Amino acid sequence: MRTIPLALCLLWLAAAAFADEARFTASNPAWKTECGSCHVAYPPPLLPARSWRTIMARLDRHFGADASVDPQTAAQIERFLVANAGQGRGPSVAEPRITEAAWFVREHDAVPPALWKRPQVKSPANCGACHTRAELGDYSERTLRMPR
């Protein structure tokens, strides 16, 4: 009789361990180079296809900067982002931000507001400040380190 509860506990622990290992591994050289030259090349599943299309259509006005690339490169990056996009609805604004997506707000609701203002963090968009392996697409809690 003790075998069943023990097996269920082990199954739950294994599922939790695999869930924490979720990591975006697809890659595209243009995406990595162009997006990663200014910030972490955000994994496409963080936003839905609609949001990525909006962002790619406005590269000349990319959150206050001109991030324009040649049309072929832009089309290649957009195809990659859309093909690997998340399934959620995403922010329904003219300039969709990952940090305004419902899942982001929910995942970070316990972060004290003062943490976002620390010099090492500066902004919720600076994923690498806390997610030490963000550039590798690893946002697991195992690699999470809050700057002091």
Side-chain angles (χ1 to χ4, degrees), residues 47-72:
L47 286 174
R50 176 182 65 149
S51 295
W52 287 122
R53 286 187 187 102
T54 300
I55 289 170
M56 292 304 295
R58 300 174 38 96
L59 287 180
D60 60 329
R61 294 164 280 148
H62 189 67
F63 304 104
D66 184 351
S68 298
V69 295
D70 66 80
Q72 293 82 14

Side-chain angles (χ1 to χ4, degrees), residues 59-145:
L59 287 180
D60 60 329
R61 294 164 280 148
H62 189 67
F63 304 104
D66 184 351
S68 298
V69 295
D70 66 80
Q72 293 82 14
T73 302
Q76 181 185 4
I77 294 170
E78 183 174 334
R79 278 193 303 273
F80 173 73
L81 291 169
V82 168
N84 294 286
Q87 299 300 313
R89 292 182 10 192
S92 56
V93 295
E95 195 169 45
R97 293 177 181 271
I98 292 169
T99 56
E100 294 174 357
W103 69 263
F104 183 94
V105 173
R106 187 176 50 253
E107 288 289 325
H108 297 86
D109 67 350
V111 175
L115 180 71
W116 301 123
K117 297 176 182 166
R118 290 185 186 165
Q120 308 96 318
V121 179
K122 298 179 186 165
S123 156
N126 184 11
C127 303
C130 300
H131 298 276
T132 60
R133 296 177 50 94
E135 75 281 350
L136 300 173
D138 183 354
Y139 292 80
S140 67
E141 291 189 17
R142 184 178 306 153
T143 61
L144 186 64
R145 303 287 180 273

Side-chain angles (χ1 to χ4, degrees), residues 23-28 31-33 35-44 46 80 125-140 143-144:
R23 179 176 152 216
F24 181 73
T25 57
S27 191
N28 174 285
W31 162 75
K32 198 74 160 176
T33 300
C35 301
S37 67
C38 295
H39 53 71
V40 168
Y42 299 116
L46 298 183
F80 173 73
N126 184 11
C127 303
C130 300
H131 298 276
T132 60
R133 296 177 50 94
E135 75 281 350
L136 300 173
D138 183 354
Y139 292 80
S140 67
T143 61
L144 186 64

Side-chain angles (χ1 to χ4, degrees), residues 2-20:
R2 288 183 158 171
T3 305
I4 292 174
L6 178 61
L8 289 174
C9 286
L10 291 174
L11 183 62
W12 179 81
L13 288 172
F18 281 112
D20 195 40

